[in-house]
Amino acid sequence: MLITHDTRCALDTVVDLVNTAPEDDAAPDGLPDVAALEDFVRNHEISDVGVLSEFDLSAVRKIRGRFASVFAAPEARAAAALINDLVAAAGTTPQLTDHDGYDWHVHYFAPGASVADHLAADCGMALAFFVVAGEQERLRRCEAPDCRRAFVDLSRNRSRRYCDSRTCGNRLHVAAYRARRKEAAG
């Protein structure tokens, strides 16, 4: 599957956005305030965003939950319905642009759109490309029992199971190794 630079950036952004949500009531929110949202926007180089407010923070948290539902969708039809709702509500207006030193690419958000609509449109379309290509199963959650982080499996054979093989994957492999050694010594 060919993934353009702007689609890859949108995928990274939506994964990072979904992963800012607290995993339970005791966990902290990764977007606790407007300053954190401003950092998120700056770190992901989200263009054409004006001054952010509490309203923007609330709206972004709302679409974050809707994006999380896409990653949890059991099949393509459910994911498509969720994505369609997100993109339609954002009022997409595709336009070609070549800003900030990047070659031509498509922005799906309307000029002057809120940050939430911007994210819903661009990230929603990036996820839509996966559904259209029959690759919805690549939108996953980490299989480590103590981690539910979202990720996009871009491995050639769709075999990635963990959000990060160096942390979650390694931790589980070490635990399995220790359990086998303990059983053998048993």
Side-chain angles (χ1 to χ4, degrees):
M1 176 176 189
L2 175 65
I3 300 174
T4 61
H5 176 264
D6 53 315
T7 299
R8 180 59 193 255
C9 289
L11 289 171
D12 291 344
T13 299
V14 72
V15 164
D16 288 348
L17 178 62
V18 168
N19 289 335
T20 64
E23 292 192 28
D24 57 41
D25 293 335
D29 193 310
L31 290 176
D33 53 32
V34 175
L37 178 59
E38 290 169 344
D39 287 343
F40 184 87
V41 166
R42 185 175 38 261
N43 292 338
H44 289 86
E45 299 179 353
I46 300 171
S47 61
D48 297 329
V49 175
V51 176
L52 299 173
S53 67
E54 288 290 332
F55 177 82
D56 292 308
L57 178 62
S58 176
V60 168
R61 285 177 176 164
K62 182 177 178 182
I63 65 154
R64 174 181 69 185
R66 296 177 74 192
F67 278 128
S69 297
V70 172
F71 279 83
E75 43 87 31
R77 186 167 305 283
L82 293 164
I83 293 167
N84 284 341
D85 288 346
L86 273 163
V87 171
T92 59
T93 54
Q95 57 185 331
L96 289 167
T97 184
D98 67 342
H99 64 88
D100 298 328
Y102 293 108
D103 286 336
W104 289 105
H105 60 281
V106 180
H107 280 185
Y108 294 96
F109 58 93
S114 70
V115 67
D117 285 345
H118 179 134
L119 291 167
D122 274 1
C123 295
M125 289 305 300
L127 296 176
F129 295 142
F130 275 76
V131 174
V132 167
E135 301 286 350
Q136 183 256 339
E137 73 275 2
R138 289 182 182 269
L139 308 177
R140 298 189 174 165
R141 292 290 190 155
C142 184
E143 291 183 18
D146 59 341
C147 180
R148 295 300 302 149
R149 293 178 58 84
F151 68 94
V152 178
D153 179 3
L154 297 177
S155 67
R156 185 175 298 209
N157 61 358
R158 299 178 189 97
S159 63
R160 188 169 159 197
R161 297 174 49 206
Y162 307 110
C163 63
D164 186 347
S165 61
R166 290 171 296 190
T167 55
C168 290
N170 191 46
R171 188 175 62 248
L172 288 174
H173 289 119
V174 168
Y177 171 78
R178 288 181 179 159
R180 286 191 306 272
R181 297 268 313 215
K182 184 177 180 181
E183 186 177 309

